[in-house]
Amino acid sequence: MLSDLPRDLAEDVLVRLPVTSMRAVRSVCKKWNTLSKGRTFTKKHLAQAKAAAAREFLAVMVMNDRVSLMSVNLHGIDPSINHLGKLVSLTDSDQVDISIVYHCDGLLLCITKDLTRFVVWNPYCCQTRWFEPISRQRWDIYAIGYENSKSCRSYKVLRFCELSSRDIRYELYYINSKSHRDKTTPITIFPDWDIQFYARGVSLKGNTYWFAQEKCLGGEEDTESSVRDEQLAVLFQRDDTLHMEIWITTKIEPEVVLWSKKLFLAVDMRPIYDFPFGVTAGSFFVDEEKKVAVVFDIDMRDTYTEMGSYAYIIGEDGYFKKVDLGEPSKEYSFPIMCSYVPGLVQIKRPTRGSKRKRREKEKKQIIEYL
């Protein structure tokens, strides 16, 4: 039987499998489950996954309230985007609706649609931790990142919400804390900048960046993305002319952001697609080598009841390809995408309560690959 293979031989075979096969591997037998979670194996496996990302990388997408894993390959004659499967809870009868997802260092931050809780999740390690917000507000914004120290990285979730037109409430949640006392005392400040409630921050090297402005300006749209976790990219599009530009940073630090003087991409979208991309929910990424951008959005020309979700691949010299993501959107449910790189960050759980009760709760909460 395959499960009887010597450890060295089994490791050599299993390390060649894609990240998405790990759930199946771990379910074969206890021996493979232990092997696939060992430090030696995971280091080799993730190193191979990162090498494969040079040709094809993974993206996590929220579509119709469910989280899916996608593979994106922009190399070759015909670029492809493939759906690898949904990421769902073990309790299929009690599925959680997810509205938005963020990525940082292999961790996913998923916000529930009803805004009553959120979960930090490492799909590769099959670890999760649920949180309930301190306060309930209609509009709030989340971010996930980390702070470096001498001994380790301290991972945190930042949440801020608007109490009034000038009052902003901030909350911090500590992911690595074993205690339930993992929330800082909220503070209220008076910011001199404005971040729209629909803004999705981008996590880069532990810090999160948003598009901010002093006041709302009409006639233009901006949204952000990261470039292979090394740079920031901004997509700008005018409402009136549909002219689209993408800019990429040359230097990015917590207090300094410098942009390239040369545009990464400039395209007149009107002859190609006669609607602006959605600034409130559209997402995108770029491939510097292929000189293309991929924008995830709905098609505003579809009917309201049968609105499709698509990836628009846009390049130089008029190159344009529209890829159907294969699942109609529910009533303007925009596809939300972020890049995903597996990681080994451990999520610590609270120690309160009996061991048996914690295990029963964890069985209901753990999210895995379908």
Side-chain angles (χ1 to χ4, degrees):
M1 296 178 63
L2 287 175
S3 57
D4 295 328
L5 289 174
R7 180 183 178 88
D8 291 347
L9 182 57
E11 182 176 294
D12 186 57
V13 172
L14 299 180
V15 79
R16 303 171 190 270
L17 296 176
V19 172
T20 51
S21 299
M22 284 302 99
R23 183 188 181 189
V25 167
R26 290 164 180 162
S27 65
V28 171
C29 61
K30 289 184 178 180
K31 182 179 178 181
W32 281 15
N33 181 53
T34 302
L35 172 63
S36 65
K37 293 180 179 179
R39 192 162 186 82
T40 302
F41 175 87
T42 53
K43 278 189 173 182
K44 290 181 180 179
H45 195 223
L46 292 183
Q48 179 173 297
K50 289 181 180 179
R55 305 181 304 273
E56 180 179 82
F57 65 91
L58 299 176
V60 172
M61 176 178 296
V62 176
M63 187 162 58
N64 292 334
D65 309 326
R66 293 292 177 264
V67 183
S68 299
L69 191 66
M70 316 289 288
S71 68
V72 181
N73 190 338
L74 300 177
H75 296 263
I77 299 176
D78 189 22
S80 62
I81 299 176
N82 298 309
H83 183 273
L84 300 179
K86 290 183 179 180
L87 308 177
V88 299
S89 67
L90 294 178
T91 54
D92 293 335
S93 61
D94 186 29
Q95 297 227 13
V96 179
D97 289 343
I98 299 298
S99 62
I100 196 168
V101 64
Y102 305 88
H103 172 258
C104 174
D105 220 15
L107 297 178
L108 297 180
L109 169 62
C110 301
I111 315 301
T112 59
K113 190 175 182 179
D114 60 9
L115 305 179
T116 59
R117 54 181 176 155
F118 59 90
V119 60
V120 178
W121 165 35
N122 187 328
Y124 187 80
C125 297
C126 298
Q127 296 177 345
T128 60
R129 182 169 180 176
W130 288 88
F131 295 85
E132 293 184 2
I134 299 173
S135 61
R136 300 283 178 86
Q137 302 294 333
R138 180 171 177 80
W139 304 120
D140 52 9
I141 298 176
Y142 285 84
I144 182 171
Y146 57 81
E147 181 180 9
N148 286 314
S149 64
K150 293 182 179 179
S151 59
C152 64
R153 287 178 174 176
S154 176
Y155 290 86
K156 306 173 185 179
V157 171
L158 168 67
R159 174 180 181 258
F160 61 94
C161 47
E162 186 178 73
L163 303 180
S164 67
S165 60
R166 290 190 53 80
D167 293 0
I168 305 296
R169 178 190 179 104
Y170 289 80
E171 300 166 359
L172 277 178
Y173 301 80
Y174 293 85
I175 300 170
N176 301 99
S177 171
K178 288 185 178 180
S179 170
H180 274 277
R181 304 175 68 88
D182 45 28
K183 308 163 186 174
T184 63
T185 302
I187 59 174
T188 301
I189 66 170
F190 304 91
D192 56 1
W193 37 257
D194 180 31
I195 297 177
Q196 297 297 318
F197 71 88
Y198 54 74
R200 296 178 62 236
V202 176
S203 179
L204 187 65
K205 299 179 181 178
N207 299 307
T208 298
Y209 301 84
W210 287 274
F211 171 71
Q213 53 190 353
E214 292 184 351
K215 60 182 180 179
C216 296
L217 300 175
E220 55 192 32
E221 299 184 352
D222 290 84
T223 186
E224 284 185 317
S225 182
S226 63
V227 183
R228 296 194 179 275
D229 290 331
E230 294 293 333
Q231 301 162 283
L232 288 179
V234 168
L235 185 153
F236 167 89
Q237 187 176 27
R238 294 193 63 88
D239 283 334
D240 51 359
T241 65
L242 300 187
H243 176 74
M244 185 185 79
E245 298 177 355
I246 294 180
W247 299 79
I248 295 180
T249 56
T250 56
K251 182 178 182 179
I252 182 73
E253 295 178 0
E255 303 296 332
V256 179
V257 177
L258 300 179
W259 299 90
S260 172
K261 294 181 180 179
K262 183 180 179 181
L263 277 172
F264 171 77
L265 191 65
V267 180
D268 179 9
M269 293 297 296
R270 191 175 292 279
I272 303 174
Y273 185 68
D274 53 4
F275 281 93
F277 292 121
V279 66
T280 59
S283 50
F284 79 103
F285 65 85
V286 301
D287 188 298
E288 290 186 282
E289 181 182 342
K290 299 297 290 184
K291 200 73 173 180
V292 298
V294 182
V295 182
F296 294 81
D297 207 343
I298 60 176
D299 191 333
M300 297 298 294
R301 297 172 297 188
D302 290 347
T303 63
Y304 182 75
T305 57
E306 298 181 0
M307 191 164 289
S309 295
Y310 301 94
Y312 300 89
I313 305 175
I314 307 162
E316 296 179 305
D317 303 322
Y319 179 83
F320 180 80
K321 181 179 180 180
K322 180 180 177 181
V323 180
D324 190 343
L325 297 178
E327 187 174 352
S329 295
K330 298 177 181 177
E331 300 179 355
Y332 287 98
S333 176
F334 291 80
I336 304 296
M337 182 280 305
C338 65
S339 60
Y340 171 65
V341 179
L344 295 175
V345 178
Q346 299 296 303
I347 299 176
K348 296 179 181 179
R349 292 196 176 96
T351 56
R352 187 179 67 184
S354 68
K355 190 173 183 180
R356 181 178 178 181
K357 287 182 178 180
R358 290 202 310 272
R359 284 182 175 177
E360 291 298 321
K361 188 175 182 180
E362 288 168 3
K363 286 181 180 180
K364 295 180 180 180
Q365 291 180 344
I366 290 177
I367 301 176
E368 292 185 344
Y369 294 112
L370 177 66

